[in-house]
Amino acid sequence: MSTRTNSRIARRIVASVAAGGLLLTGTSVTPAAAGAAAAPASAASDLRIGVIALAGAISAIGQTPAMATPLPFTTTSAAEVLSLDASLARSLVGALAGTDLEDALGDVAGIDLVDDGDSSTIAFTYAREVTTPLELVNDDGDLRFGGATAGGRATAGDVTVSLTTRKSAPFVVKVLEEQTDPLLRVALVSKPELDLSVDIETDDLADFSARQGFTAIDVTGGVYKIHRDQTIVMRDPDGRDLLTLEDLRYSTLPDLFRIQTPD
């Protein structure tokens, strides 16, 4: 039986004891035994807190300029397409209600657990891809178009946005047993790397009406293409190797990500 399996069974035993309302008093157990019994529950609780905080931080990728800026000639951003907050953070909190941490992670769409051989960690990757229609909308004070017009709705077909964690650089959350400060006791001990891509290719835009200044014009069609690849690296803004719960709670979340655009 693997160390991760042993750890998983231990966490479930702790959860079962807590659910059953077992009470240990000073008259029935020594202080040393009480401390030994409490340690696994504390570690399991710390992991849950750390993973929830990390999920919220991952969702904050959508606040970075690369994700939050609307695509050209639209009001739609990659962040809106992926909707990370609803698809990851809220889903995880719901899945965690009354269940084992690893089971909850396995129930969240896009999360895959990774067996890193360390029973004191939770390691996982996250991936999400969404394809949705993209409406062309523009109003720069001179050229305006979009929505339902006399010439029809200005659309650019479907846009696909993909965010994928590299398997070689997953998220790894660890309980630091030597730490007594709750804000320093759990940390992200890896530097996850994610690939972001945005794609749309439409060679036959439908006709639509627009207005340039005070002049009504007809757009007779054209081509709309986007291809963007970027790498997102999650990092500690303080330059350390650990991203603690303190960092996750008190940092400006977009500062946790370094976004690189290939040449």
Side-chain angles (χ1 to χ4, degrees):
M1 184 177 291
S2 69
T3 56
R4 178 168 292 280
T5 301
N6 287 332
S7 173
R8 184 167 180 172
I9 293 173
R11 291 180 197 144
R12 283 179 171 163
I13 291 173
V14 169
S16 299
V17 170
L22 180 65
L23 177 64
L24 300 179
T25 66
T27 59
S28 60
V29 65
T30 65
S42 175
S45 176
D46 288 335
L47 273 179
R48 289 170 73 96
I49 293 170
V51 169
I52 290 173
L54 180 59
I58 297 171
S59 298
I61 294 175
Q63 300 175 23
T64 60
M67 295 278 285
T69 302
L71 301 173
F73 299 111
T74 79
T75 57
T76 303
S77 68
E80 290 175 304
V81 174
L82 289 178
S83 187
L84 292 175
D85 185 57
S87 62
L88 176 58
R90 294 180 203 169
S91 295
L92 179 59
V93 171
L96 278 170
T99 191
D100 175 81
L101 176 58
E102 292 185 357
D103 287 343
L105 285 170
D107 288 341
V108 177
I111 288 183
D112 285 323
L113 289 168
V114 175
D115 187 355
D116 62 351
D118 187 342
S119 62
S120 67
T121 67
I122 287 286
F124 61 92
T125 60
Y126 177 69
R128 179 167 171 79
E129 180 176 296
V130 178
T131 299
T132 188
L134 182 65
E135 184 175 9
L136 296 181
V137 180
N138 185 74
D139 187 350
D140 58 10
D142 178 37
L143 180 62
R144 301 185 301 280
F145 57 82
T149 66
R153 186 174 295 273
T155 62
D158 292 337
V159 60
T160 298
V161 181
S162 173
L163 183 68
T164 306
T165 311
R166 294 185 179 180
K167 292 184 179 180
S168 59
F171 297 90
V172 182
V173 182
K174 182 180 180 68
V175 174
L176 308 177
E177 298 287 355
E178 70 278 7
Q179 290 286 353
T180 57
D181 187 335
L183 291 178
L184 302 177
R185 183 171 165 78
V186 62
L188 176 71
V189 295
S190 63
K191 292 183 179 179
E193 297 181 12
L194 301 98
D195 292 313
L196 171 68
S197 68
V198 180
D199 280 287
I200 184 168
E201 183 170 346
T202 303
D203 294 323
D204 54 350
L205 289 178
D207 298 355
F208 61 90
S209 297
R211 182 170 292 274
Q212 189 162 24
F214 295 102
T215 304
I217 59 176
D218 291 322
V219 180
T220 58
V223 175
Y224 187 96
K225 295 185 179 184
I226 289 178
H227 177 75
R228 187 175 82 200
D229 289 321
Q230 292 175 303
T231 300
I232 302 174
V233 179
M234 195 167 188
R235 63 193 178 92
D236 179 3
D238 297 329
R240 302 171 300 173
D241 291 333
L242 296 177
L243 189 62
T244 63
L245 188 60
E246 181 180 52
D247 295 320
L248 293 175
R249 285 187 175 178
Y250 300 114
S251 296
T252 301
L253 291 178
D255 292 342
L256 301 176
F257 306 99
R258 183 176 71 250
I259 300 180
Q260 304 167 324
T261 303
D263 294 338

